[in-house]
Amino acid sequence: MVKIAVLGAGGGVGAPLSLLLRLSPLVDDLALYDRHRAPGVAVDLSHIPGARNVHGYTAADAGLARALRDADIVLVVAGAGATPAVTSREALFEANARVVRDLAGEYARVCPRAMMLVVTNPVNAIVPFVAELLKGYGVFDAGRLFGVTTLDVVRAETFLAEAERYVKVGERRVDVVGGHSPQTTVPLLSQARPAARVGGGVLEGVVNRIRFGGREVVNAKERSGAATLSTAYATFRFTEAVCEALRGQEGGVQCAYVHLRGIEGGDEMAEAVGVEYFAVPVELAGHGAGRVVKSLGTISSNEQTLIDMAITALRENIQTGVDAARDYLSHEKVI
């Protein structure tokens, strides 16, 4: 039995994600939480045939705790999206950290052994923020906290296949490392398996499109929305891989933004990149992230340049999250 709690189920990502989870044979119990709309989403989904249970909760009547109780996986998709209405990623972090801190606190109290999958942006700072809060609450486990960066992998697979014209999506594996922002997303197309069949300016164009894919969606939506449907699909794909691991099908590998130290092979990677949070391929197991699959290996000079840029940006992003959590915890203790 696998129970999934979707926090932010009434939003642009949460609703289509909940639909996909409702249809998945790997999910037995689906608990939807949002401040207002989750019960409506749950009733709507209940009209679709399926063996899975689906329930909706709001903040009333301890709804968050009820949604989290006995959860195996907690999906955090609540908060504002990265749209032109939010003037900077710093402003986005401040807005979403206020939402996520309350969710993290209840998670720590109700289901600290569940896998927490963080989709809320900016992932680069929100994941360290959540980790530091969980450390303060005494329940942190590096292997159970994931920043979901699968959208970058999905874009890499899709855009590279389009550039090659005759390669089907899904026929190759492309790892995307670093973080989840234009400055920190590093597609390792030089290590694509099987190898990429384009090069030069075409390959460079694919890399840029992957890194700035979010802007492409925002512009196509006339600057009034962000990538919601593709994010929902990518999150669903990662969640199904976690479900498979929970059900005993260990060995699946997915890229994710994780706290490296505390995961097998993570210390080596942390020493190599100089930061403790980094998106890397990890092997999933029943207890979470089993191990970091490999080092960065032999990469191109252009990819190394992007990694160097990413590390500089990530140091700042990580410190933003850590400082905010420590500040919150210090005030919380005083209060």
Side-chain angles (χ1 to χ4, degrees):
M1 296 289 289
V2 174
K3 176 180 177 178
I4 296 180
V6 182
L7 310 185
V13 174
L17 173 59
S18 298
L19 170 61
L20 292 170
L21 293 170
R22 167 67 172 170
L23 298 174
S24 173
L26 300 177
V27 181
D28 302 295
D29 198 344
L30 191 57
L32 311 182
Y33 173 83
D34 212 316
R35 288 177 296 177
H36 304 295
R37 296 180 293 273
V41 174
V43 171
D44 200 357
L45 292 179
S46 73
H47 291 193
I48 300 172
R52 285 147 294 288
N53 298 315
V54 57
H55 305 281
Y57 305 91
T58 66
D61 300 322
L64 178 55
R66 293 164 65 195
L68 291 172
R69 190 167 296 119
D70 300 321
D72 300 291
I73 299 172
V74 176
L75 281 160
V76 182
V77 295
T83 68
V86 182
T87 57
S88 68
R89 294 189 83 82
E90 290 76 14
L92 182 64
F93 172 77
E94 291 178 6
N96 285 345
R98 288 192 292 271
V99 175
V100 171
R101 72 187 184 195
D102 296 331
L103 304 179
E106 199 68 355
Y107 161 91
R109 188 182 71 84
V110 178
C111 59
R113 302 299 294 168
M115 310 294 179
M116 179 182 278
L117 281 50
V118 177
V119 182
T120 302
N121 274 315
V123 167
N124 295 350
I126 290 291
V127 170
F129 175 73
V130 171
E132 206 65 25
L133 289 178
L134 298 181
K135 290 177 186 178
Y137 298 140
V139 298
F140 176 66
D141 181 341
R144 295 178 183 272
L145 177 63
F146 301 89
V148 180
T149 59
T150 314
L151 178 56
D152 299 319
V153 175
V154 169
R155 285 172 173 158
E157 293 173 352
T158 303
F159 299 163
L160 183 56
E162 287 180 2
E164 294 174 330
R165 298 182 185 277
Y166 54 86
V167 175
K168 293 181 181 179
V169 175
E171 288 188 349
R172 69 152 55 86
R173 176 181 176 83
V174 182
D175 292 334
V176 182
V177 302
H180 183 58
S181 72
Q183 297 77 23
T184 62
T185 295
V186 184
L188 299 182
L189 300 190
S190 69
Q191 296 187 10
R193 301 176 297 283
R197 299 174 184 175
V198 294
V202 174
L203 195 65
E204 183 179 347
V206 172
V207 170
N208 286 335
R209 192 178 176 203
I210 296 164
R211 295 174 62 216
F212 296 97
R215 296 181 186 178
E216 181 178 319
V217 177
V218 169
N219 290 335
K221 291 186 175 181
E222 300 178 343
R223 304 184 68 79
S224 62
T228 53
L229 300 178
S230 53
T231 300
Y233 165 75
T235 303
F236 170 70
R237 190 167 115 172
F238 184 82
T239 305
E240 279 213 315
V242 175
C243 287
E244 288 172 349
L246 286 173
R247 289 176 173 271
Q249 301 176 42
E250 299 187 356
V253 176
Q254 297 286 325
C255 290
Y257 183 68
V258 294
H259 185 288
L260 294 169
R261 299 193 187 276
I263 301 173
E264 182 184 342
D267 285 350
E268 178 186 349
M269 179 64 76
E271 293 299 326
V273 298
V275 289
E276 295 199 349
Y277 295 85
F278 205 73
V280 289
V282 296
E283 184 177 283
L284 300 174
H287 61 276
R291 66 184 179 94
V292 173
V293 173
K294 62 176 183 176
S295 64
L296 295 177
T298 303
I299 60 177
S300 71
S301 58
N302 288 339
E303 289 167 349
Q304 186 61 59
T305 298
L306 290 178
I307 286 176
D308 293 340
M309 292 170 51
I311 290 169
T312 299
L314 283 172
R315 285 197 182 102
E316 183 177 344
N317 299 157
I318 293 165
Q319 199 61 50
T320 295
V322 170
D323 288 346
R326 290 177 178 173
D327 181 66
Y328 173 71
L329 288 169
S330 66
H331 286 84
E332 185 183 44
K333 290 175 183 177
V334 171
I335 293 172

